[in-house]
Amino acid sequence: MYNFDLIRPSTLEEAVKALGQDEAQALGGGQTLIPTLKQRLAMPETLVSLSGIDAIKGVCVHDDGRLSIGGGTTHATVAREAAAHYPGLAALAASIGDPAVRARGTIGGSLANNDPSACYPAAALGSGATIVTNAREIAADDYFQGMFTTALDDGEIITEVRFPVPEAAAYQKFEQPASRFALVGVFVARYADGVRVAVTGASEEGVFRWSEAEAALSSNFAADALKDLSVPADGMIGDLHGTPDYRAHLVKVLTGRAVAAAS
Amino acid sequence: MPKDHGIGASPTRREDVRFLTGRGKYTDDIALHGQTYAVFARSQVANGVIKSIDTSEAEAMPGVLAVFTGEDFVDVGGNPAGWQINSRDGQPMKEPKRPVLAHGKVRHVGDAYAAVIAETEEQARDAAEAIVAEIDEEPAVVDMGKALADGAPLVHDEIGTNQCFDWGWIEDNRAATDEAIKNAPHVTTLELVNNRLVPNAMEPRASTADYDPGTGEYTLYTTSQNPHLTRLLISAFVLGIPENKLKVVAPDVGGGFGSKIYHYGEEALVLAAAKKIGRPVRWTASRSESFLTDAHGRDHVTKIELACEKDGTFIAFRTETMANVGAYLSNFSTATPTFLHGTLMAGNYAVPNVYVNVKAVFTNTAPVDAYRGAGRPEATYSLERVIDMAARELGIDPLEIRRKNFVQPDQFPFTSAAGLEYDTGNYGALVDKLEEMIDRDGFEARRKASEKNGKLRGLGVNTYIEACGIAPSNLVGVLGSRVGLYDAATVRVNATGNIAVMVGAHSHGQGHETAFPQVVADMLGIDENSVEIVHGDTSKIPFGMGTYGSRSLAVCGSAVVRATEKVINKGKKIAAHMLEASEADIEFTDGQFSVAGTDKSVGFGEVALKAYIPHDFPLEDLEPGLEETAFYDPANFTYPAGAYACEVEVDPETGKVTVCSFAAADDFGNVINPMIVEGQVHGGLAQGIGQALIEGTVYDENGQLLSGTYMDYAMPRADDFPMFKVDHSCQTPCTHNPLGVKGCGEAGAIGSPPAIVNGVIDALQRGGIDVTHIDMPLSPGRVWQAINGAQ
Ligand SMILES: Cc1cc2nc3c(=O)[nH]c(=O)nc-3n(C[C@H](O)[C@H](O)[C@H](O)COP(=O)(O)OP(=O)(O)OC[C@H]3O[C@@H](n4cnc5c(N)ncnc54)[C@H](O)[C@@H]3O)c2cc1C
């Protein structure tokens, strides 16, 4: 780790201001950022901890029926407090890492980081969520822009994520044996106006929607509907843990299982 | 009724009180006044010529006290291999020098070429990054086959080859084995890989050195399984510090699994630095450094052939193995693939012909050395996989083909075709026990239930034998060991009757502090809580060869027994004096010295007190004090054996393997503390199943370690396992050590990988998928690939 200053503001305004300085970076739960710092892979001058800002924490149901989760809310809190409203999302949060990771890691940190194997991006994209920042609202479809890349500007803070609550949803995560992140993860959500299928862990472009499956499932919400579909291996990740072919295959298997689990 | 004290009882581990309450004291917990910090500059390339190293900027940085490079150590010795192996042509192995810091060339990613000493660790790290090293990268060799090919880049230019040795065992049996295979009615051939593993002890390596200019004495606190050997190597080979001026302390050590048996360059560096700057120097590895520089394990590529009759009677095993030794020879690296592997290639079987050829190969990767099991897992895996394959080809039940070929109980002592003399065993009884444990009859119903859920279920079995209690010095001397492998103990009885036992074994998770007192207390008829174990400090214990090879109880425990016997004999002299009887008439039972045939007796405590208050001793016949030392050199290896079985489920859609049950029946001879033995087996099983299913060390072709963090190197976790069923009631006590014990520390890691792989192959075959072998680790991706390839 290189030396840095740490500040811990209690309001969003102060945080935004602090992040306006050179070489300042937001610190959420630190579950991604701290290991990066320890390996000396980043050298921010100032870390602005968001953990003191109560206004961006918590889970509640919005007037329009959407589930609203503060950007600084931990995975553990989501697992607990979203369970009654959006069980598929709560179960996803409960499947992230281990208890220590869930006690500190936040939804805002996960979405800001947009790791290609992370779980929340699949839920956000699969739910057609809205990512709310200190400056604007961004539709999930516009937000994810490839591995570790998002629509966020420098210093922009995710304050809230709004999830339309589906009629049925499930996340199927096939764990990479070492990291236990998603080797492939598929989030399926059925809404009155159609089905959304979001895939994480598989593509070199990061989280993506499998539109053929969405179309097929929108007319017939059953694993059978996927029978004649396949995902091309082109552009899938190949690494120590799986070839592009394997990942493409898993996308289909897990989509089927997610549908079965949701229905 | 289970015993509640002494040999055979299971008192909870007394050391756990300090470990579980955060009071363990590890090397990194030792804070010396004025200590400084060392950080190493390590090679980013696998093979490169060091053109220049500019340390001037680093030296000028804040807090920097000294910078070392390989240049500073050209005049000191190298870290040697402990065993000299000769090739089939009689030539000694190639033994390039392993320097303290790389000089001239770097040979693997992580090879240290410079070190910075500074006031703080951060300052040292900053300065290490400021060292400018001009290193010309050269093509690396990673694959052993390519390393042996003509024109391959050389790891060590001065030896002119990447082959360390080409060893035959037993060379005189080669022709007969070839002939037997040529004429055999059935030959099964299998090519397999025994995957390289990173040991991953929970505590990373760490070393702190202190030098006292007033006495000229050095102290090294270090994470060692083997402090005396470390002292010997540093003194005799590396730095030349006289042994009497060097104290090596291995305090609490958080796991070793082999990786901390050896002497490493970092230890020599901190010693030299402490003297140079006149202050203590401390180094603790980061996890990344551990991945890159701890000696790795296994890494064999093997072709094995089993020749047999149509009825499954074994005729011959012939093995050709390439063993990776990495970039440098670590201390046991030449013994592991040879005498700890080749000599076991007859397994539990009365097979007449065995021949093993091992080529050890240098590559631009981390050194490879003994890792939990060391050679025996490689032997067991090869044998038990090829046997399973042969059984399937011949349509014979996998347990029956083994039973049929076992050395029978009335054949012991039995000299195997690979040259070892097995003292005792009963392998059929182990298989009987195993069958009792696994409800084989119910398997079909369980398989059907799995099938209903879309899963393929398989049953995997195997047996194993290993050689522990390392080792008889006379034998290993003939085989090339440069050290003796005895152990030592001192039993010191204090005036008030309690006892300190100084042992050469080193406990880093094994529970010696609990088990050894059980032995002493049992022999002396006293409370085991009045016996304390002292270990890990060369200034306190007589000598020792450390802990590895499941040797602690079999070898050091035997020394403890011998020393305790001497204490009893001395006690008899004192008792005879106290009771005014002849020494020959004194009997010792249940803590009482008594005169045979009378009611006259004195307790152990009274005798102890008398030993230190010798007012009326006849001093020419009777010395005061009650303290005895014994060295014990075993007459033979010990031979634990076992029969293992597991049931696995394979998800054919994803390739994921789930271990549903695992049963282990082991013969460890007599058992001192059943709970500790069970724990050792559990740990071993976890490591063996980890190897079989998920642990894979991957270097790319440039020698970069791709699996260098826990994000990519899969360590097994508790939820990867079912509840284990273990049994050690089949006991054929070792015939040549006083406790009749065999050693249990490695068995689980040795016996479990073939059971898992056999189980997965069985599951696939029963599911109609014709896959006959998959190389470990059987990760989901690989299993799916195999299924996919077969369809
Ligand atoms: C052992 C382990 C296992 C894990 N397993 C999983 C898993 O299975 N699935 C999974 O999805 N993830 C997993 N993670 C990652 C975990 O979910 C992290 O918590 C998450 O990715 C980052 O969240 P954080 O709050 O810790 O962010 P930090 O690490 O603090 O920050 C990450 C990045 O986000 C930025 N940031 C943080 N908060 C905000 C915000 N509110 N607005 C804008 N930018 C912000 C930071 O500046 C930084 O760039 C694991 C992590 C660990 C250590």
Side-chain angles (χ1 to χ4, degrees), chain A residues 173-211:
Chain A
K173 175 185 185 184
F174 192 79
E175 287 178 352
Q176 192 257 58
S179 70
R180 294 198 174 181
F181 275 66
L183 183 74
V184 173
V186 178
F187 193 93
V188 170
R190 194 185 76 210
Y191 290 91
D193 60 352
V195 173
R196 290 176 72 103
V197 177
V199 179
T200 187
S203 168
E204 287 178 336
E205 304 292 318
V207 65
F208 71 96
R209 285 172 68 185
W210 185 18
S211 38

Side-chain angles (χ1 to χ4, degrees), chain A residues 27-65:
Chain A
L27 176 67
Q31 297 304 293
T32 297
L33 188 50
I34 299 290
T36 313
L37 296 179
K38 278 184 160 172
Q39 292 199 298
R40 291 193 154 194
L41 296 173
M43 48 187 315
E45 267 166 28
T46 309
L47 284 188
V48 181
S49 169
L50 306 180
S51 62
I53 309 173
D54 290 338
I56 63 164
K57 290 189 208 166
V59 176
C60 67
V61 180
H62 223 256
D63 297 343
D64 61 8

Side-chain angles (χ1 to χ4, degrees), chain B residues 120-348:
Chain B
T120 71
E121 191 174 348
E122 292 300 309
Q123 289 171 332
R125 200 165 294 284
D126 289 342
E129 285 181 4
I131 293 172
V132 182
E134 201 191 327
I135 296 176
D136 281 359
E137 184 171 5
E138 305 216 316
V141 280
V142 175
D143 177 86
M144 288 190 275
K146 288 185 185 155
L148 292 181
D150 285 346
L154 294 177
V155 180
H156 295 275
D157 302 294
E158 67 277 18
I159 60 174
T161 169
N162 289 320
Q163 183 171 291
C164 176
F165 56 74
D166 173 3
W167 178 81
W169 187 256
I170 298 172
E171 202 54 24
D172 287 347
N173 296 351
R174 181 188 178 95
T177 304
D178 288 349
E179 192 62 21
I181 289 177
K182 203 165 80 197
N183 299 326
H186 185 92
V187 179
T188 299
T189 305
L190 176 59
E191 291 183 25
L192 53 83
V193 172
N194 204 291
N195 44 327
R196 181 189 277 240
L197 302 173
V198 180
N200 282 303
M202 204 182 287
E203 179 203 23
R205 287 191 293 121
S207 304
T208 296
D210 192 16
Y211 175 71
D212 182 344
T215 59
E217 220 171 82
Y218 295 81
T219 304
L220 175 68
Y221 302 92
T222 192
T223 49
S224 177
Q225 300 175 221
N226 207 351
H228 273 97
L229 185 71
T230 298
R231 186 183 67 170
L232 183 68
L233 290 168
I234 294 171
S235 295
F237 296 96
V238 183
L239 295 178
I241 299 169
E243 269 184 287
N244 59 326
K245 292 292 185 191
L246 174 59
K247 173 171 138 180
V248 177
V249 182
D252 284 333
V253 173
F257 312 113
S259 66
K260 294 172 182 166
I261 303 174
Y262 328 113
H263 165 55
Y264 289 88
E266 290 90 350
E267 293 170 326
L269 187 285
V270 292
L271 282 166
K275 178 167 190 199
K276 179 164 173 183
I277 68 164
R279 287 168 62 184
V281 178
R282 162 172 168 174
W283 168 76
T284 301
S286 67
R287 186 54 69 182
S288 305
E289 279 180 299
S290 305
F291 267 103
L292 292 172
T293 67
D294 287 1
H296 293 176
R298 317 277 192 262
D299 206 348
H300 284 194
V301 174
T302 292
K303 175 178 166 190
I304 180 163
E305 291 155 291
L306 162 56
C308 49
E309 305 288 355
K310 292 281 183 213
D311 71 355
T313 304
F314 298 164
I315 301 169
F317 288 104
R318 181 169 65 193
T319 306
E320 273 174 53
T321 287
M322 286 188 293
N324 204 334
V325 291
Y328 298 102
L329 293 182
S330 172
N331 303 135
F332 276 32
S333 59
T334 53
T336 300
T338 53
F339 293 110
L340 295 175
H341 164 246
T343 55
L344 273 307
M345 286 307 293
N348 313 56

Side-chain angles (χ1 to χ4, degrees), chain A residues 25-35 50 56 71-72 75 95-98 101 104-110 112-113 115 117-121 152 156-159 173 179-182:
Chain A
Q25 190 173 1
L27 176 67
Q31 297 304 293
T32 297
L33 188 50
I34 299 290
L50 306 180
I56 63 164
H75 311 332
S95 79
I96 295 175
D98 50 48
V101 169
R104 296 207 68 92
T106 64
I107 188 169
S110 178
N113 194 49
D115 186 300
S117 306
C119 301
Y120 267 129
L152 290 180
E156 197 171 356
I157 298 173
I158 297 178
T159 55
K173 175 185 185 184
S179 70
R180 294 198 174 181
F181 275 66

Side-chain angles (χ1 to χ4, degrees), chain A residues 118-140:
Chain A
C119 301
Y120 267 129
L125 189 61
S127 307
T130 303
I131 288 87
V132 183
T133 74
N134 56 300
R136 56 186 166 143
E137 296 186 3
I138 312 169

Side-chain angles (χ1 to χ4, degrees), chain A residues 7 11 14 34 46 78 105 130 135 150-152 167 185 200 212-213 224 230 242 247:
Chain A
I7 56 171
T11 67
E14 289 170 86
I34 299 290
T46 309
V78 175
T130 303
T150 69
L152 290 180
E167 296 164 3
T200 187
E212 290 86 347
D224 247 16
S230 65
R247 281 192 167 81

